[in-house]
Amino acid sequence: MTATSISSRGETLAFPPGFIWGAATAAYQIEGAAHVDGRGASVWDTFSHTPGRIADGHTGDVACDHYHRYADDVRLMAELGLRAYRFSIAWPRIQPAGSGPVNAEGLDFYDRLVDELLAADIVPYPTLYHWDLPQALEDLGGWTARDTAYRFADYARIVHDRLGDRVGTWMTVNEPWVAAVLGYGIGVHAPGRASAAEAFRASHHLLLAHGLSARVLREGGAREIALTLNLAPVLTPAQLSDPDLPVSAEDAEAVDRVDCLINRQFLDPVLRGEYPRPTLEIMDRIGGLEHIRDGDLATINQPVDLLGINYYTPCVVRSAPGEPANAAYPGTEDIRFSGAHAPTTAMGWAIVPTGLTQVLTRLSRDYPEVGLLVTENGAAFDDLVDGDRVHDTDRTAFFEGHLRAAHAAIEAGADLRGFLVWSLLDNFEWAEGYHKRFGIVHVDFETQRRLPKDSALWYREVIRHNGLRRERARRPTLEAVAARAGVSRSTVSRVINGEDTVSDEFRAIVMNAVDELGYVPNSAARSLVTRRTDSIALVVSGPAAAASADAGADDPAFSVTLRSVVRELEEAGKRVTLMLADSQDGRTRVERYAASGYVDGVVLVSGHSSDPLPAALVRTGVPVVVLGRPVAAHTPYADVDDAGGAAAAVAHLLARGRRRIAAIAGPPDSLASRARLEGYREALRDTGYRSIIAVGDLTLASGADAMRQLLRDDPALDAVFVAGDPMAIGALRALAESGRRVPEDVAVVGFGDVATASYTVPALTTVRTPGTEQGRTAARLLLRHLAGGPASSAILPTELVVREST
């Protein structure tokens, strides 16, 4: 099957005939039964039972108890229409010590699971390794030891000998980058080691294990062999909105270097029999190349039939001289990892469906000999459980966006064979424990009750039709419920609000309409201001690409605020289109888009004094609300009290007896930075103390540089107010380097209250900004404006959070 077989029938955006639809899981995340039927200990058993490693001390001892409930889970898969199920086999169930005797009861479990799947007409896609290395092998060196790769090949032969008569496609290793880097490089996954050199050795040996096991499987008669990689497009911030945008030579080098580390370090050895030169140079510099032996690359370069792609979010970088290397990407000195301007999942991962299109088309262009299968794609969100329904509209929208992106890739020539959602079940989410839910089926971990979410019911229809509706489905509105029930909007609102002024008869009629339509109540409906519109544009703008990227991407609260805007608008039944206007061409596109009537309103994120877009949008006549400080007269806005927060910070320092108080300001063309600087100056104005100012660009490195400058210019300063927490953290580092004690010698106050502020040493006193509420307020102001209300503005208060740094 190739991309040429795709068709679009009538109102359906159809996928190729025989397209594989399914879901995926991993053994340690769902099986439980950690000490049952001879299973040995894995590195994840040890890691999860080590205090401080997993959120709230959670473990995978029970998880979803799939080991005992697999038959019910397979029946549930069949009810959802799944055609394929990707699961992993727990090596410690098969060989408790990682080598030697085989545990028959462990093999029996997977034997029963495969038979159950086939009886339900679901194709099994086993993965041989999804990170649960037997602890006995870790004790002998784990993946840093070459022998582990050979033990893995022995294990692969054992499993294939038992299941190979019924399993056609075998996946060897899942995400070697994650297993090596997170497990051996930075220690946030099992086994918890932290050595860049060990990460590179582990990575090579995982690839060697793939090659050795692929050879064994092929010799045993396996029909298809696959390797599963976590892949991401590597882009500059400006390229997010225009992937073909030319970049500087410095940015191009940064993109290539990072791409070599996260993508080509694995693609090229497996599919071309070679490492990319930049990867080898970094490996050699950090830990040497002795672990790469003659013949290894030939072994790794075994023919594979499928490449599994796990895609979640893009990687956004740019050149930044002086920036230290990112610990997760050894060898990335002078590169800044800035994140994407986009709404995020509950994991904080930017939602960029077009990144999947880019990955798939790039793979088919650069490695045309291998078929493609999306083996993981999904998102964690904070689900709403309402009786027997789980309303996860965010997840449904996530899948729809990524399936449309996959369809676009097929139309562009990508040889994509199927799509497996992650994950079938809510499960043990590694270091996050049970706090993050990726499943299309909700799991009550106390009772083990399974409850398909709305996204699962939606996915069942996608599978049934082998495609999507050509037009995006509109979310049910308050008006739609009222029409279905034959009552007024106000009656529906009173029922939703739980008021007792509606009779039981009409309450039942309304709730029946709510259930039939899958309506999700929201705050806009409760306040009776909802008005259906087709689309709202969420526009991120700036005077130039670089400035826009710096100001937003390096602000950790930025994605939280954007996400709250999107959530509020989508709960009101709006379709949100994210647009980036970080160049003149981009601003022109946005202006024309709005003027042409494609959107009914705009939430604009700007805040730069020289940005012409706000005034241009106002001239189009489209309703606009600015998220942040307005730059166009009479434009409604939702802002935070930057000046007041800064003044409160300085007043706090004065009250603590500080008299030589410096400031590290943000970029001078940022209106928020200007307001914070004005608040600092205003607080000092009547004290007789002079202003001492340095300027940063909102990044940690610039904060450290500005602090060093201040210490040179005024060695006697005893406090510093910093207009952004990342810069404040940089200032703390520079003070520590200079031997200054905080707060004994110099007190520090930041701005923003990022998640890491309470974990700095000492913990950072800072000004908390209500980012989530600011986003909601901007959305609500626009909704009210669209409903005919006044075009008003709001300034939200900030709060000083006092910690040990003052």
Side-chain angles (χ1 to χ4, degrees):
M1 178 182 65
T2 67
T4 58
S5 62
I6 193 169
S7 64
S8 297
R9 300 185 304 272
E11 297 181 355
T12 301
L13 203 63
F15 282 76
F19 196 76
I20 300 162
W21 297 102
T25 63
Y28 189 76
Q29 292 183 274
I30 69 164
E31 284 183 359
H35 310 291
V36 170
D37 292 341
R39 177 186 178 277
S42 76
V43 290
W44 271 99
D45 293 291
T46 303
F47 190 76
S48 66
H49 282 271
T50 303
R53 292 296 198 177
I54 308 296
D56 290 339
H58 293 169
T59 74
D61 287 359
V62 177
C64 304
D65 196 29
H66 176 72
Y67 186 81
H68 297 111
R69 300 170 185 268
Y70 73 92
D72 290 338
D73 288 340
V74 172
R75 281 193 289 274
L76 180 57
M77 294 179 217
E79 290 171 6
L80 294 177
L82 301 188
R83 311 281 175 75
Y85 175 50
R86 174 179 173 243
F87 60 96
S88 75
I89 295 173
W91 191 350
R93 275 199 204 284
I94 308 305
Q95 289 180 295
S99 62
V102 175
N103 177 36
E105 290 175 297
L107 273 175
D108 288 345
F109 167 69
Y110 295 107
D111 200 62
R112 294 192 300 272
L113 174 61
V114 168
D115 283 347
E116 197 80 24
L117 289 166
L118 293 173
D121 201 24
I122 299 170
V123 179
Y125 281 78
T127 297
L128 288 168
Y129 186 72
H130 202 130
W131 310 345
D132 45 358
L133 181 72
Q135 181 62 43
L137 290 182
E138 174 61 24
D139 294 340
L140 298 174
W143 286 112
T144 65
R146 185 179 179 86
D147 186 63
T148 302
Y150 291 90
R151 302 288 71 74
F152 181 77
D154 293 340
Y155 151 69
R157 179 181 289 107
I158 291 167
V159 176
H160 183 268
D161 285 348
R162 181 65 173 270
L163 305 179
D165 60 327
R166 286 153 292 158
V167 171
T169 302
W170 291 85
M171 299 182 180
T172 56
V173 175
N174 178 77
E175 296 186 357
W177 182 90
V178 174
V181 174
L182 301 193
Y184 291 85
I186 60 177
V188 297
H189 276 197
R193 300 200 220 175
S195 163
E198 289 190 349
F200 280 122
R201 285 197 294 275
S203 174
H204 179 72
H205 292 148
L206 281 157
L207 289 177
L208 184 61
H210 157 75
L212 291 167
S213 62
R215 181 183 292 165
V216 164
L217 293 168
R218 191 74 72 188
E219 291 170 351
R223 177 173 56 83
E224 286 188 329
I225 296 172
L227 172 69
T228 302
L229 302 176
N230 56 297
L231 300 173
V234 185
L235 308 163
T236 65
Q239 287 178 315
L240 277 168
S241 56
D242 186 357
D244 298 323
L245 188 72
V247 298
S248 68
E250 294 79 10
D251 280 348
E253 189 280 329
V255 166
D256 183 68
R257 199 184 338 156
V258 174
D259 182 66
C260 284
L261 287 170
I262 66 173
N263 294 322
R264 290 178 56 204
Q265 180 182 179
F266 306 94
L267 290 167
D268 285 6
V270 171
L271 300 177
R272 294 178 176 170
E274 62 185 16
Y275 278 112
R277 181 169 296 278
T279 302
L280 285 175
E281 292 172 351
I282 293 170
M283 280 186 187
D284 194 19
R285 173 161 58 87
I286 290 176
L289 300 175
E290 292 79 9
H291 59 286
I292 303 176
R293 299 186 184 176
D294 289 345
D296 280 2
L297 287 166
T299 298
I300 293 169
N301 183 216
Q302 296 297 308
V304 293
D305 306 282
L306 284 173
L307 184 66
I309 298 102
N310 296 352
Y311 172 75
Y312 291 95
T313 192
C315 183
V316 184
V317 303
R318 66 181 182 82
S319 174
E323 190 84 2
N326 186 316
Y329 305 90
T332 55
E333 296 84 1
D334 303 318
I335 296 176
R336 180 172 303 149
F337 291 74
S338 57
H341 290 306
T344 61
T345 69
M347 297 291 289
W349 300 343
I351 302 171
V352 186
T354 54
L356 178 58
T357 307
Q358 294 165 35
V359 167
L360 295 173
T361 53
R362 180 257 182 104
L363 290 171
S364 283
R365 180 188 67 242
D366 293 352
Y367 309 94
E369 69 277 10
V370 63
L372 307 178
L373 177 67
V374 172
T375 38
E376 288 184 27
N377 177 250
F381 290 108
D382 299 323
D383 297 330
L384 172 64
V385 182
D386 182 12
D388 290 332
R389 294 288 298 276
V390 182
H391 302 299
D392 60 336
T393 52
D394 287 335
R395 185 173 291 104
T396 299
F398 180 95
F399 283 134
E400 179 169 4
H402 285 81
L403 282 174
R404 289 180 182 276
H407 190 277
I410 296 174
E411 288 189 317
D415 185 12
L416 180 63
R417 313 283 180 83
F419 192 99
L420 310 180
V421 301
W422 183 271
S423 170
L424 174 68
L425 303 172
D426 289 337
N427 53 37
F428 175 83
E429 186 47 42
W430 307 116
E432 299 290 343
Y434 295 100
H435 293 295
K436 304 299 183 186
R437 293 178 177 267
F438 278 83
I440 60 172
V441 174
H442 181 273
V443 177
D444 182 326
F445 295 109
E446 293 294 325
T447 65
Q448 292 298 337
R449 179 197 186 201
R450 270 69 160 156
L451 184 61
K453 303 177 186 180
D454 286 356
S455 60
L457 306 181
W458 172 88
Y459 190 48
R460 179 173 61 191
E461 293 305 303
V462 171
I463 297 171
R464 180 178 297 167
H465 294 97
N466 195 40
L468 303 161
R469 290 181 180 272
R470 183 174 294 280
E471 299 296 329
R472 288 180 181 267
R474 296 184 177 183
R475 294 175 60 175
T477 64
L478 193 73
E479 289 87 346
V481 175
R484 175 65 65 89
V487 300
S488 69
R489 290 174 72 246
S490 61
T491 298
V492 175
S493 179
R494 288 197 298 273
V495 171
I496 290 170
N497 280 322
E499 297 180 13
D500 57 8
T501 57
V502 181
S503 70
D504 291 342
E505 177 186 359
F506 280 101
R507 186 182 306 279
I509 291 172
V510 169
M511 292 311 299
N512 183 61
V514 167
D515 289 340
E516 287 180 354
L517 294 174
Y519 174 72
V520 182
N522 57 74
S523 58
R526 294 187 180 103
S527 62
L528 288 178
V529 298
T530 306
R531 175 177 175 271
R532 178 71 193 181
T533 61
D534 289 332
S535 183
I536 302 295
L538 175 56
V539 178
V540 180
S541 180
S548 176
D550 287 344
D554 292 318
D555 179 0
F558 188 78
S559 63
V560 173
T561 305
L562 285 192
R563 183 181 174 195
S564 67
V565 174
V566 173
R567 176 166 292 183
E568 192 72 20
L569 290 172
E570 289 190 338
E571 285 184 353
K574 312 302 178 187
R575 184 176 63 192
V576 181
T577 301
L578 177 65
M579 305 184 74
L580 300 185
D582 44 13
S583 65
Q584 181 56 52
D585 287 344
R587 289 189 291 274
T588 301
R589 281 197 302 271
V590 169
E591 183 180 352
R592 290 175 178 171
Y593 193 75
S596 299
Y598 292 117
V599 293
D600 292 339
V602 175
V603 175
L604 174 64
V605 185
S606 178
H608 291 271
S609 59
S610 59
D611 188 1
L613 185 58
L617 286 173
V618 169
R619 289 194 297 269
T620 68
V622 68
V624 178
V625 171
V626 176
L627 184 64
R629 189 70 51 175
V631 293
H634 310 300
T635 306
Y637 61 90
D639 196 17
V640 299
D641 188 5
D642 291 296
V650 177
H652 169 72
L653 292 170
L654 290 168
R656 293 293 174 96
R658 307 293 171 157
R659 297 297 178 261
R660 299 179 73 86
I661 305 172
I664 299 177
D669 60 353
S670 164
L671 293 166
S673 296
R674 286 187 184 182
R676 294 171 193 178
L677 183 58
E678 180 55 34
Y680 160 80
R681 286 173 168 155
E682 182 65 29
L684 290 181
R685 187 159 294 146
D686 298 328
T687 65
Y689 306 128
R690 68 185 181 91
S691 298
I692 310 165
I693 300 169
V695 177
D697 63 6
L698 299 179
T699 64
L700 186 151
S702 73
D705 290 341
M707 190 71 247
R708 297 184 190 105
Q709 175 190 327
L710 290 172
L711 292 174
R712 290 192 299 268
D713 294 345
D714 193 342
L717 68 85
D718 59 6
V720 59
F721 163 68
V722 190
D725 280 352
M727 293 193 300
I729 294 170
L732 288 173
R733 293 187 181 180
L735 287 167
E737 292 170 2
S738 70
R740 307 293 180 95
R741 298 170 300 164
V742 178
E744 292 84 356
D745 299 328
V746 181
V748 180
V749 181
F751 205 108
D753 195 26
V754 300
T756 54
S758 59
Y759 300 104
T760 59
V761 181
L764 181 64
T765 293
T766 185
V767 178
R768 178 175 294 157
T769 58
T772 299
E773 187 57 33
Q774 183 187 8
R776 290 174 179 165
T777 299
R780 290 168 184 169
L781 290 174
L782 183 61
L783 290 169
R784 184 166 62 182
H785 191 16
L786 292 173
S792 57
S793 298
I795 298 179
L796 305 178
T798 54
E799 175 190 1
L800 183 67
V801 181
V802 179
R803 300 193 181 100
E804 289 78 9
S805 69
T806 58

